[in-house]
Amino acid sequence: MNSLIIDMPDLQTIRQRYASSFITLLFWIFWFYLWLPLISLIAWVLGVDLLYDRMVVEGGYDAFIATLPTYALVVVLMGAIFVIWGVYNLQRFRGKERRSHVHPVDNATIANYFIVDPVQLGEWQQAKNLVIHLDELGMIQSVEKRTLTQESGDATP
Amino acid sequence: MELLSTIISGLWQFEFYYPLFMAYLWMIGGLYYYYHREVGGSHHVEDIPVLSEYPPVSIIVPCHNEGKNIEETIQYLVRQQYPNFDIIAVNDGSSDDTGSILDNLSSHFPNMRVVHLAKNQGKAMALRMGAMLSRHEFLICIDGDAVLDPRATTWMMSNFVGASRVGAVTGNPRVRTRSTLLGKIQVGEFSSIIGLIKRAQRIYGRMFTVSGVVAAFRKSALQEVGYWRLDMVTEDIDISWKLQLNHWDIRFEPNALCWIKMPETYKGLWRQRLRWSQGGMEALIAYLPNFWSWRKRRMWGIFLEYITSVFWAYMMAVIMLLWLVGLVINLPHALQFPTIVPNWNGILLGVTCLIQFLVSMLIDSRYEKDFGKYYYWIIWYPVVYWILNVITTVVAVPRALFGRKKRARWISPDRGLQPS
């Protein structure tokens, strides 16, 4: 197994594990709840006639089967439109650069946007360690450069 | 009363048809992407692409109280198999030892820099400061508790090189925390729902969101749209919509693996999903006026799908409420739901879910061996997802609509069970 994956159920408390089991049980019940008609049908095959009346005669078994082709048609149509759209985009955009070459944003523009001095920004970008003070509106109040001692990594202002 | 009855019946059918048909649409889109872009000799994670150029990259790591995780994150980042990159760790006012750990690490790695924000400012501000202080045009933003596969930078950059309309690339988050049921369900979710939808949306041409945990950006595109907003609870959805509304493309790179820690408690999961829900709604409110713009028509699909899913969640809540009330009070005939047994349609929905999981697992098994065993757990996902989705949406919409706008700050998330 990948060493990054953490799969250790033992890290849970007993209460957590019991809670998981209980909720799991509820999920299973709900899942089979969805399958009730099918279970009923199997029950009918096994001889439970009343369920046949409930599920097939009253439960719309025939109507359901009759609707299935319509569902299939809708799925096919939606899928076809989607795939045609995908192929169309591929033909239209593949290998074509409609956007003219993008120039990397320069420091003057960035400094202007963040309302800081471009020369200072250039210095900050070279600094190894900085502390930034911002005000409540998110504007830069001050920036201090720090130097670190090599051994401990402790910062000194 | 007749009209009301018709409306109720129509809604009931919509509640069934919408997830059913969308599931098939995601599957078709996902499979198309898979056969178009993933199958074949040179598309494996280990076959790192050879690029025509290697533009320098700044990897920005915003972190708040990541003392337990940050060293591992950085240790993986320095091993990126890319010729030219630096790391900018932004310590966002941590109250634990994150700052000193980062300082210590940076003294060992020449290409690592540390920026301390004196007070906690939130992830968006940490990203803004990281972007401002970066020396390079391309940025990879990764959370301080995530582990980036050493090949991921090259894979992400392969989408930018020679494609000037690409503004962002989102990676492939893989769940690490798999001890509990919730952890295992999310493994399936990230593959079955998130992975499949991202592939399908890539084919459609527009994406709902990049993964906030790992995404690469072109700085000139960020500059054009004004970087990350400070007042959105999810900065990733916001930036994705802004970029795409300004005609920047977003790509999905499934080979850019990023190992992430997800909540493994109900409370943690609830808080995370409520935040996601609220973030989506905030983006919708902020950018809905663009819906009417013909020039921005490619986002229509994203808008419509999101609006419909919010409507679906509310209608499901209404139906459940009517059914519960109907158990106690004798409601008018038109409002009665004698049963919410989904009948044969329920089976169809159940079968559809199983097929969807099968398709997604098939696609995803490329990225992890023994992935098939998670199929057993994924069976819970529809229930968890639908219930959680309905409740978080119902709660999040009024929050996004009427909540007081304020700066989004860090809330230390639940990161699953971890060995001490």
Side-chain angles (χ1 to χ4, degrees), chain A residues 90-99, chain B residues 165:
Chain A
L90 196 67
Q91 298 300 323
R92 187 170 165 197
F93 294 109
R94 175 166 257 188
K96 292 176 196 146
E97 275 305 332
R98 289 157 56 91
R99 187 183 282 267
Chain B
R165 67 171 181 276

Side-chain angles (χ1 to χ4, degrees), chain B residues 16 30 44-45 59 77 96 98 109 160 196 286 290 347 371 396:
Chain B
F16 161 69
H44 284 281
V45 178
I59 302 177
L77 287 182
D96 68 353
T98 303
F109 302 122
F160 285 116
L196 205 63
N290 291 282
I347 294 183
F371 202 53

